């Protein structure tokens, strides 16, 4: 069982092996006259137009309902505003609300894994504050929130087109433990516990937890031998989730 796959490695394991975004990244660097962090390039080479991420906080290109690409902050500032702040490469926003924009300082773009800053729409466009110490953390959280179906079921809806199928552990549990009269037992988040992870061959002490955009934490483990992912969102109070992402029968 693998517990520490990076965001790029997760996408590659899902089948996004080809560097489809390389041409776009080269064009972005040339057009804007900027370098790009190695972590960002490695991720976007395989994440370009990835529909699994089309409602995520990352701008991968094709999103729902329109395309969203990285851009420089200065491209939308007046000269007076430019004098009040440094430039940022904007790389994402909180999908749906669009209240917060995420970006990397242009002066940090030569770093391998630079920090990520955010700008809140209620504050001046020139005011940015640090959100993530490392870009890799931002990418990891965004991918795991998408895979764990936090707020949106987009990844599950798109998975079939890439040869994958989601199975909800709770749904399986209710179906297999239904009462004799056919009524399902009352929903209870306690059905998904550390014991549940152990049953799947997951060592709870090795699971890497990442912040969830609406509270709690998310995780992702990969069983290389079975070619199966396990993911979910936990808050240890209400309903913990556990999804199995496995190859569809057509690919068996």
């Amino acid at each position: 069982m693998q517990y520490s796959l990076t965001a790029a490695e997760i996408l590659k394991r899902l089948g996004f092996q080809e560097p489809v975004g390389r041409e776009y990244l080269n064009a972005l660097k040339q057009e804007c006259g900027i370098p790009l962090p190695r972590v960002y390039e490695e991720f976007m080479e395989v994440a370009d137009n990835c529909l699994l991420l089309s409602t995520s906080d990352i701008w991968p290109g094709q999103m729902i309902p329109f395309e969203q690409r990285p851009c420089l902050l200065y491209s939308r500032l007046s000269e007076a505003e430019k004098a009040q702040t440094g430039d940022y490469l904007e790389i994402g926003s909180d999908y749906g609300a669009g209240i917060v924009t995420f970006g990397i300082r242009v002066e940090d773009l030569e770093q391998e894994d630079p920090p990520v800053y955010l700008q809140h729409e209620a504050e001046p466009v020139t005011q940015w504050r640090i959100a993530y110490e490392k870009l890799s953390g931002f990418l990891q959280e965004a991918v795991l929130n998408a895979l764990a179906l936090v707020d949106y079921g987009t990844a599950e809806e798109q998975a079939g087109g890439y040869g994958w199928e989601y199975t909800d552990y709770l749904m399986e549990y209710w179906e297999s433990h239904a009462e004799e009269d056919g009524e399902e037992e009352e929903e209870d988040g306690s059905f998904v516990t550390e014991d549940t992870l152990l049953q799947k061959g997951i060592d709870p002490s090795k699971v890497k937890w990442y912040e969830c955009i609406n509270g709690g934490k998310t995780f992702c483990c990969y069983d290389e031998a079975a070619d199966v992912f396990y993911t979910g969102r936990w808050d240890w109070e209400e309903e913990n989730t556990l999804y199995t992402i496995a190859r569809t029968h057509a690919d068996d």
Side-chain angles (χ1 to χ4, degrees):
M1 190 71 67
Q2 298 190 28
Y3 300 92
S4 301
L5 293 176
T6 67
E9 288 169 340
I10 289 172
L11 292 185
K12 289 178 181 178
R13 294 287 186 177
L14 286 168
F16 299 91
Q17 294 282 351
E18 297 299 320
V20 292
R22 185 171 294 166
E23 183 176 348
Y24 166 73
L25 293 170
N26 289 337
L28 175 65
K29 289 188 288 186
Q30 182 174 359
E31 179 182 346
C32 296
I34 56 173
L36 290 175
R38 181 186 63 80
V39 167
Y40 187 71
E41 286 207 67
E42 288 183 353
F43 177 77
M44 285 301 298
E45 279 186 347
V46 294
D48 189 60
N49 288 323
C50 175
L51 294 179
L52 295 178
L53 303 176
S54 58
T55 52
S56 74
D57 288 353
I58 303 166
W59 292 342
Q62 185 59 51
M63 301 192 76
I64 298 174
F66 48 76
E67 184 178 77
Q68 190 72 49
R69 292 284 190 181
C71 58
L72 290 174
L73 171 66
Y74 273 12
S75 66
R76 60 187 182 94
L77 295 188
S78 66
E79 292 302 318
E81 289 172 326
K82 290 178 184 178
Q84 300 176 47
T85 185
D87 201 0
Y88 289 79
L89 178 66
E90 298 176 321
I91 60 172
S93 58
D94 52 331
Y95 181 83
I99 295 173
V100 169
T101 300
F102 298 101
I104 306 168
R105 296 190 305 180
V106 167
E107 63 196 79
D108 294 338
L109 289 175
E110 290 186 354
Q111 296 181 28
E112 178 176 310
D113 194 7
V116 174
Y117 292 76
L118 69 81
Q119 193 278 322
H120 195 285
E121 68 172 8
E123 300 169 343
V125 70
T126 56
Q127 185 172 328
W128 291 71
R129 60 178 182 271
I130 196 163
Y132 297 85
E133 293 293 336
K134 292 183 179 296
L135 170 61
S136 55
F138 168 70
L139 298 175
Q140 192 81 6
E141 286 187 20
V143 169
L144 294 195
N145 276 285
L147 289 184
L149 309 183
V150 178
D151 288 337
Y152 302 96
T154 307
E156 181 178 14
E157 294 164 4
Q158 297 290 338
Y162 297 104
W164 297 90
E165 182 176 15
Y166 270 74
T167 300
D168 184 337
Y169 174 81
L170 284 178
M171 292 298 294
E172 279 194 319
Y173 183 94
W174 297 331
E175 291 174 1
S176 61
H177 292 75
E179 297 177 348
E180 292 184 0
D181 60 6
E183 295 183 1
E184 293 182 344
E185 295 179 353
E186 183 179 355
E187 298 182 15
D188 186 349
S190 66
F191 290 156
V192 179
T193 64
E194 289 191 353
D195 285 340
T196 309
L197 298 183
L198 288 168
Q199 292 169 18
K200 298 291 188 180
I202 302 170
D203 183 345
S205 69
K206 295 182 179 179
V207 171
K208 306 295 183 184
W209 296 97
Y210 295 86
E211 295 297 327
C212 177
I213 54 177
N214 62 1
K217 294 182 181 293
T218 58
F219 73 97
C220 182
C221 304
Y222 175 66
D223 185 336
E224 188 170 17
D227 196 18
V228 169
F229 288 89
Y230 298 100
T231 187
R233 172 192 171 273
W234 287 32
D235 60 14
W236 290 274
E237 293 180 0
E238 298 178 1
E239 182 176 295
N240 301 329
T241 61
L242 174 62
Y243 300 103
T244 300
I245 311 175
R247 288 290 184 183
T248 58
H249 297 301
D251 291 339
D252 289 344

